[in-house]
């Protein structure tokens, strides 16, 4: 009897130790965020891409969770990155639109970023790829929480090559510097040809793999922000002409290879099971560039608009043992939710100043919960264009650029400024925003309008000339 009790006690002790080890492991996971540029909702296989394959990205869906109602913070570069890294609507912190080279404005060092809140748990953080929160030294990653930086400070079209990939010899475009590659705070190379730029994805991937392989016992945060598929498109010789779907397909295949290399490095290091991997995009496709742009699928319009094609993005998350494999989540979520979610996962303190994101960790675990309370504001710059509550989206009167004729091979297409009136859509039945139902549901319109009043008082709204009570200033240099 004593022997049996001893065995039982022994096994209970071992079980407790294993459970504690797993709990400790899951409390400090490595975190990898792969952030695409201008990739549309339907540009990967798991979300309906056609004509080329993305098996490594699709593996994240098979082994993790697919989010069907996931949004970027705004439908343009700088704003969306500011939202992800600070957990704030970009207009709250004064970072809207897209910052150009030499700007005197950038991220304010007083804002607490993801790597800064993770430092409480001794995370080693690296930013790889496109930054776009200001190119002055004061605005670069090392001054804003990251331990390492390797990448470019802004979009790859902000150079003499522009969106077309053709070298400008006159005009404002010709006066821009060649796209710089920065290590830490210093420029180590300039991309003086499109052949140079074609190595961007490979360079980012090699650096990410190196970082993972050199990681020790310290948990890490890897923020990998690709320059692709922003125009001008550029692909290495490894994938040139391989997709059969033109340059865009080739570039997507190379990005998929990159994701595969990162996943392989995690596996070889033996840390796959304790790493949360997130794959998403900064905004929807820049559809005016036609065959050099991606697809929003059935969603309306694309980048630079507050229609679903501009802000709803594909999102996949994988974390073995925590996120149920092969699951689909239709709950509302946004990139601004990542910071508070990481804080909850790691038991790190939230920023002192007000943020807008919410903890969606319960969604990752497969729990039936609505942490966001199904509420989302669609701001474009400082205009509150729309608001979503549950499946209903109320669009306020505003002007936007609507595609008329798509461009080809890097040439920009034709758009026209269109004004939309007040409209209500049920996104569960009408994701393409085709059928205005405001006359059928006046009580819903009223409810959403009341929610919008609160948003305007808090964050402001240029459309209604409302000044927000809780906005903050961006970083500025003399």
């Amino acid at each position: 009897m004593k022997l049996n009790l001893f065995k039982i006690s022994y096994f209970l002790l071992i079980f407790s130790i294993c459970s504690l080890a797993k709990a400790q492991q899951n409390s400090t996971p490595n975190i990898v965020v792969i952030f695409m540029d201008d990739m549309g909702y339907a540009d990967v296989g798991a979300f309906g891409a056609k004509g080329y394959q993305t098996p490594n990205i699709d593996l994240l869906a098979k082994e993790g969770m697919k989010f069907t109602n996931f949004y970027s913070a705004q439908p343009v570069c700088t704003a969306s990155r500011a939202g992800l890294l600070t957990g704030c609507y970009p207009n709250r912190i004064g970072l809207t639109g897209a910052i150009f080279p030499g700007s005197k404005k950038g991220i304010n060092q007083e804002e607490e970023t993801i790597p800064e809140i993770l430092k409480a748990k001794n995370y080693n953080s690296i930013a790889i790829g496109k930054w776009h929160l200001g190119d002055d030294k004061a605005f670069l990653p090392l001054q804003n929480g990251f331990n390492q930086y390797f990448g470019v400070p802004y979009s790859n079209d902000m150079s003499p090559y522009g969106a077309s990939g053709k070298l400008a010899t006159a005009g404002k475009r010709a006066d821009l510097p060649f796209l710089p590659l920065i290590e830490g705070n210093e420029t180590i190379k300039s991309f003086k040809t499109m052949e140079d730029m074609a190595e961007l994805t490979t360079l980012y991937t090699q650096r990410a793999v190196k970082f993972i392989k050199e990681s020790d016992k310290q948990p890490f945060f890897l923020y990998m922000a690709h320059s692709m598929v922003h125009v001008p498109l550029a692909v290495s010789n490894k994938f040139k002409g391989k997709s059969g779907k033109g340059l865009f397909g080739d570039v997507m295949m190379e990005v998929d290879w990159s994701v595969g290399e990162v996943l392989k490095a995690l596996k070889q290091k033996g840390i796959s099971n304790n790493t949360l991997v997130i794959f998403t995009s900064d905004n929807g496709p820049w559809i005016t560039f036609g065959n050099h742009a991606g697809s929003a699928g059935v969603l309306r319009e694309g980048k630079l608009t507050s229609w679903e094609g501009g802000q709803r993005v594909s999102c996949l998350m994988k974390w073995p043992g925590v996120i149920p494999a092969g699951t689909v989540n239709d709950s509302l979520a946004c990139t601004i939710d990542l910071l508070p979610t990481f804080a909850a996962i790691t038991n790190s303190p939230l920023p002192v100043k007000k943020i807008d994101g919410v903890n969606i960790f319960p969604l990752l675990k497969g729990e039936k919960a609505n942490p966001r309370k199904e509420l989302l504001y669609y701001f474009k710059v400082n205009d509150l264009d729309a608001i979503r509550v549950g499946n209903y989206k109320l669009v306020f009167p505003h002007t936007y650029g609507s595609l008329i004729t798509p461009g080809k091979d890097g040439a920009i297409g034709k758009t026209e400024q269109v004004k939309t009136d007040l409209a209500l859509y049920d996104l569960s039945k009408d994701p393409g925003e085709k059928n205005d139902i405001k006359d059928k549901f006046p009580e819903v319109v009223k409810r959403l309008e009341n929610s919008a009043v609160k948003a305007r008082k808090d964050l402001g709204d240029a459309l209604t000339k409302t000044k927000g009570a809780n906005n903050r200033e961006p970083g500025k240099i003399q």
Side-chain angles (χ1 to χ4, degrees), residues 202-247:
T202 297
L203 290 171
Y204 296 165
T205 306
Q206 290 172 341
R207 187 54 186 268
V209 169
K210 181 175 183 289
F211 176 77
I212 292 169
K213 288 182 175 180
E214 292 178 353
S215 65
D216 197 9
K217 295 179 181 179
Q218 187 178 9
F220 64 76
F221 170 52
L222 165 57
Y223 171 61
M224 188 176 185
H226 281 284
S227 292
M228 298 293 126
V229 287
H230 196 296
V231 289
L233 297 180
V235 69
S236 70
N237 289 329
K238 297 189 297 292
F239 292 92
K240 189 176 292 185
K242 295 294 175 65
S243 71
K245 190 70 174 178
L247 184 55

Side-chain angles (χ1 to χ4, degrees), residues 163-311:
S164 68
K166 297 177 181 178
L167 185 63
T169 56
K172 292 182 179 179
R173 179 71 61 184
D175 295 334
L176 289 174
F178 288 109
L179 185 69
L181 179 66
I182 298 175
E183 173 93 41
N185 288 318
E186 304 299 326
T187 297
I188 60 172
K189 177 181 178 177
S190 292
F191 296 95
K192 297 182 178 179
T193 68
M194 285 304 296
E195 287 73 21
D196 288 343
M197 206 179 292
E199 298 304 316
L200 273 173
T201 301
T202 297
L203 290 171
Y204 296 165
T205 306
Q206 290 172 341
R207 187 54 186 268
V209 169
K210 181 175 183 289
F211 176 77
I212 292 169
K213 288 182 175 180
E214 292 178 353
S215 65
D216 197 9
K217 295 179 181 179
Q218 187 178 9
F220 64 76
F221 170 52
L222 165 57
Y223 171 61
M224 188 176 185
H226 281 284
S227 292
M228 298 293 126
V229 287
H230 196 296
V231 289
L233 297 180
V235 69
S236 70
N237 289 329
K238 297 189 297 292
F239 292 92
K240 189 176 292 185
K242 295 294 175 65
S243 71
K245 190 70 174 178
L247 184 55
F248 186 86
D250 297 346
V251 171
M252 281 303 304
M253 284 185 66
E254 183 159 37
V255 169
D256 182 75
W257 161 81
S258 174
V259 172
E261 291 297 295
V262 170
L263 296 178
K264 184 167 65 177
L266 293 171
K267 186 175 182 179
Q268 290 175 344
K269 188 72 177 179
I271 55 177
S272 289
N273 288 342
N274 195 39
T275 301
L276 168 59
V277 179
I278 299 174
F279 177 88
T280 189
S281 181
D282 69 338
N283 46 248
W286 207 351
I287 54 177
T288 186
F289 285 97
N291 65 338
H292 278 199
S295 170
V298 299
L299 305 180
R300 184 171 175 178
E301 296 290 351
K303 176 180 176 176
L304 302 178
T305 79
S306 298
W307 299 107
E308 291 298 288
Q311 273 188 253

Side-chain angles (χ1 to χ4, degrees), residues 27-29 31 33 82-88 107 109-126 141 143-147 218-221 276 335-359 472:
S27 67
T28 53
I31 300 172
V33 175
L84 185 153
L85 288 170
T86 66
C88 296
I107 188 168
Q109 290 184 23
E110 293 184 4
E111 299 295 342
E112 294 180 74
T113 61
I114 289 174
E116 286 172 319
I117 66 114
L118 291 178
K119 278 186 177 178
K121 297 299 177 182
N122 196 35
Y123 272 72
N124 183 25
S125 300
I126 186 170
Q143 286 64 250
N144 290 280
F146 286 94
N147 302 110
Q218 187 178 9
F220 64 76
F221 170 52
L276 168 59
T335 52
I336 62 175
D337 299 333
L338 296 184
L339 183 150
T341 301
F342 297 163
I345 288 171
T346 60
N347 196 28
S348 300
L350 286 170
V352 174
K353 295 182 179 179
K354 180 180 176 65
I355 65 170
D356 301 291
V358 299
N359 169 25
R472 305 195 286 267

Side-chain angles (χ1 to χ4, degrees), residues 455-469:
R456 294 184 182 110
K457 288 180 179 179
D458 181 23
L459 290 156
D461 175 25
L463 288 174
T464 57
K465 296 180 173 58
T466 305
K467 186 176 181 180

Side-chain angles (χ1 to χ4, degrees), residues 311-334:
Q311 273 188 253
R312 194 190 299 200
V313 291
S314 55
C315 179
L316 300 167
M317 300 191 192
K318 173 192 172 186
W319 186 6
V322 178
I323 296 177
T327 51
V328 177
N329 198 305
D330 298 324
S331 298
L332 189 62
C334 181

